[in-house]
Amino acid sequence: MQNQSFNQSLLSFLHNSPTPFHAVETMKSTLLDHGFTELKELDHWVIEEGGRYFVTRNASSIIAFTTPTLNFHSSGWRMVGGHTDSPCLKLKPNAQVTRSGYHQLGVEVYGGVLLHTWLDRDLSVAGRVTLKLSSGERVSRLIDFKDPIAVVPNLAIHLNRGVNDGFSVNPQEEILPILGLAKSELELKSVILNQVKLQYPNLDTADLLDFELSMYDTQAPALVGLNKEFICSARLDNLLSCFVGLEALTAAKGSEQPALLICTDHEEVGSLSTSGANGPFLEDVLQRLSPNPEHFVQSINRSMLISADNAHGLHPNYADKHDKLHAPMINSGAVIKVNSNQRYATNSETAGIYRDLANQEGYEVQTFVVRSDMGCGSTVGPIIAGGIGVPTLDIGLPTFGMHSIRELAGSEDAFGLTKVLKRFISTPVLMSSEA
């Protein structure tokens, strides 16, 4: 029953978070409901013992933390990290395209998209717009068309006889979504402003200055399988981990251990941005909490980060893509991710800590190592570990179709990882050397 309620909340979170901006907005709402206070980077911070706080940057990254004690140099932090972005199609600045009697959208590929999965899907548009009001003030707002307004139709097999022998999609010419027939003039700017007026009827908007808008699949997340064994949804990589971290942190009330959740943008394109894990956001926050340089170093060395990002589950149709001894199964527990070349930041101590905590909760643990003849992906884990020096574990939930428009994970795994992260967040001493 607990698991069912958890999964319904997860599905709702995924549905309400079509872009990183919306994901952060949804997380903010949850944090406020759990008694967290929003901090602004421009303000002076007054942090109190027993406090619960969060701060955002660029409206697409968020850090939330609890302060049962202010002696961070002696307690350290229990950190959980994830990322808010997912591979997708983003509208170009001059996105209005008319070709062969159809209105289309010019889009740019963001991250490592499985392009063919975007064909024949009911697509909508969401993101952030920057506006000028009649008063002269400039503001930004989030919009979401919600309804399916575009589609990228496949080419019929009759016109592409060799399609099943090998298929690629040209990202410049063949992935442009169709909005409709060009029977009349269309001004995209007016279409966007009309959506603003629908969502913000009391906003006296004079002009659209710019936008950051993304396409997304309108099909709702769902539990699938004969026994509802799977979660099928867009953006499981990595909103699944963001939700798990959020659930663990908000449940940490009463814990005497300071805990922190960081969910950053731009991981899919390298994390090098003001709001990415390879930017200064996390260090800026931690230094404000530990302004004494020696205390800062002590706090980091008494901390641990669990970087949660999806893992490649063993696909029965492509079993040879895995090392046979490191082939995670869906619904068989979270996966410790190991790479000797530091594409993952796991070491024996951080892995041992997680294994022990999982055993205490009665949950299985799996391990993933990429085949030695294949390249390995990465996460925010090595970036944060290398940036501030925090001991780090890379972990993830087994997933099929990673970077597809619709991914598949287990309906039991996320609940289990949340339970283990709750224990991690509340554990004051992780290694005996800290005592």
Side-chain angles (χ1 to χ4, degrees):
M1 217 36 209
Q2 233 180 340
N3 195 4
Q4 290 178 9
S5 174
F6 175 92
N7 281 331
Q8 289 305 315
S9 296
L10 170 58
L11 296 182
S12 177
F13 174 72
L14 293 166
H15 183 69
N16 292 327
S17 305
T19 73
F21 303 114
H22 289 83
V24 166
E25 194 66 23
T26 305
M27 295 174 76
K28 282 175 58 176
S29 178
T30 299
L31 290 165
L32 290 170
D33 287 344
H34 283 83
F36 283 71
T37 300
E38 183 171 9
L39 302 172
K40 303 289 186 180
E41 290 197 273
L42 288 174
D43 294 345
H44 172 68
W45 290 5
V46 178
I47 305 299
E48 298 180 350
E49 192 171 283
R52 292 155 75 83
Y53 305 95
F54 71 89
V55 58
T56 67
R57 180 174 287 188
N58 188 49
S60 62
S61 295
I62 188 166
I63 294 175
F65 56 94
T66 60
T67 56
T69 175
L70 300 182
N71 296 320
F72 309 124
H73 62 288
S74 59
S75 65
W77 293 92
R78 299 293 167 261
M79 305 182 194
V80 177
H83 62 90
T84 59
D85 62 320
S86 302
C88 65
L89 304 179
K90 293 197 173 190
L91 271 63
K92 292 181 177 179
N94 298 319
Q96 187 168 331
V97 176
T98 302
R99 301 191 303 182
S100 304
Y102 293 89
H103 291 306
Q104 294 181 272
L105 290 173
V107 293
E108 184 178 13
V109 176
Y110 175 85
V113 178
L114 275 174
L115 278 177
H116 68 277
T117 66
W118 285 74
L119 304 177
D120 303 325
R121 308 295 301 189
D122 300 337
L123 303 177
S124 192
V125 174
R128 179 170 69 178
V129 293
T130 300
L131 310 161
K132 187 168 185 177
L133 305 184
S134 298
S135 64
E137 182 184 2
R138 290 181 295 273
V139 300
S140 289
R141 293 290 185 270
L142 303 189
I143 63 168
D144 183 357
F145 281 77
K146 294 188 177 180
D147 291 332
I149 62 169
V151 65
V152 187
N154 239 310
L155 182 64
I157 193 170
H158 315 78
L159 305 178
N160 189 11
R161 291 290 183 181
V163 64
N164 290 325
D165 299 323
F167 180 56
S168 64
V169 180
N170 183 299
Q172 175 66 23
E173 300 293 337
E174 298 175 349
I175 201 70
L176 281 70
I178 294 175
L179 283 172
L181 290 163
K183 291 182 177 180
S184 58
E185 291 295 318
L186 174 72
E187 186 185 17
L188 184 58
K189 184 175 181 179
S190 296
V191 173
I192 296 171
L193 281 173
N194 284 338
Q195 188 60 219
V196 172
K197 290 174 184 176
L198 282 172
Q199 290 189 228
Y200 304 96
N202 298 323
L203 199 63
D204 192 7
T205 304
D207 194 15
L208 172 68
L209 298 175
D210 217 322
F211 57 79
E212 295 173 76
L213 298 174
S214 303
M215 310 296 300
Y216 73 93
D217 183 12
T218 58
Q219 184 177 358
L223 295 175
V224 302
L226 281 175
N227 298 303
K228 308 296 185 187
E229 300 107 316
F230 308 113
I231 295 171
C232 194
S233 175
R235 302 175 299 280
L236 290 179
D237 176 19
N238 186 33
L239 293 186
L240 181 58
S241 300
C242 292
F243 180 80
V244 166
L246 185 66
E247 286 287 299
L249 184 69
T250 53
K253 201 162 189 178
S255 169
E256 297 181 3
Q257 174 60 46
L260 181 147
L261 171 68
I262 174 171
C263 296
T264 50
D265 198 359
H266 302 133
E267 190 273 348
E268 298 293 355
V269 292
S271 291
L272 185 57
S273 69
T274 60
S275 53
N278 205 12
F281 187 27
L282 176 58
E283 188 170 359
D284 285 349
V285 170
L286 291 174
Q287 285 186 340
R288 291 181 79 158
L289 298 173
S290 295
N292 179 297
E294 184 174 274
H295 285 179
F296 175 79
V297 173
Q298 289 173 328
S299 72
I300 294 301
N301 279 275
R302 287 194 169 98
S303 300
M304 178 174 159
L305 166 71
I306 292 183
S307 167
D309 203 344
N310 300 44
H312 298 294
L314 175 66
H315 194 308
N317 298 341
Y318 304 93
D320 62 348
K321 296 296 183 181
H322 277 77
D323 180 318
K324 292 181 180 178
L325 299 179
H326 304 90
M329 294 291 294
I330 284 179
N331 284 332
S332 292
V335 181
I336 294 175
K337 299 157 78 171
V338 177
N339 183 263
S340 296
N341 295 302
Q342 296 303 299
R343 299 295 288 170
Y344 303 131
T346 302
N347 62 38
S348 60
E349 289 190 339
T350 58
I353 288 167
Y354 182 85
R355 289 182 190 280
D356 188 35
L357 296 174
N359 288 340
Q360 292 176 45
E361 286 292 335
Y363 285 101
E364 294 180 90
V365 183
Q366 305 183 83
T367 307
F368 174 77
V369 180
V370 74
R371 283 178 57 112
S372 296
D373 54 0
M374 295 176 66
C376 184
S378 193
T379 72
V380 300
I383 294 172
I384 296 175
I388 63 172
V390 62
T392 299
L393 170 77
D394 266 298
I395 203 163
L397 297 179
T399 305
F400 290 162
M402 202 181 298
H403 291 197
S404 169
I405 197 171
R406 198 161 174 86
E407 300 162 323
L408 192 76
S411 58
E412 298 175 15
D413 284 330
F415 182 72
L417 179 56
T418 303
K419 296 282 284 185
V420 180
L421 290 184
K422 286 178 184 177
R423 180 175 286 272
F424 165 72
I425 281 173
S426 301
T427 302
V429 177
L430 297 175
M431 293 290 292
S432 61
S433 59
E434 288 186 14

